[in-house]
Amino acid sequence: MTIRLNGKNYALTGEIKTLHDLLEELKIQGQVVIIEQNQQIIDRSRYPDTTVASGDVIEIVHFVGGG
């Protein structure tokens, strides 16, 4: 299964079923991120329940502190 992740094709493993799984795969869990899936911003509380399907377009933006 392939998705479009931050502008690039990304092949998913069989274990990735939800946005939460995707964040764990990318090792960015625990960081403050915003996920847009198919041009809709997904509420953080829905990451464990929001499924990822082949062909989805996903943008992940994370914030970095600094001054």
Side-chain angles (χ1 to χ4, degrees):
M1 176 166 66
T2 303
I3 62 171
R4 189 91 174 145
L5 177 63
N6 292 345
K8 298 180 182 176
N9 289 336
Y10 186 83
L12 298 176
T13 64
E15 295 90 38
I16 298 175
K17 305 283 187 216
T18 67
L19 291 177
H20 176 77
D21 297 340
L22 179 60
L23 290 176
E24 285 188 344
E25 168 78 13
L26 298 172
K27 296 181 180 17
I28 56 176
Q29 72 275 16
Q31 297 180 17
V32 178
V33 297
I34 293 176
I35 299 179
E36 179 184 276
Q37 182 181 33
N38 301 323
Q39 299 181 344
Q40 290 196 346
I41 295 175
I42 308 299
D43 187 87
R44 185 180 337 268
S45 66
R46 293 184 44 218
Y47 293 172
D49 302 320
T50 303
T51 57
V52 177
S54 186
D56 277 355
V57 178
I58 298 176
E59 296 289 330
I60 300 176
V61 179
H62 67 278
F63 297 94
V64 179

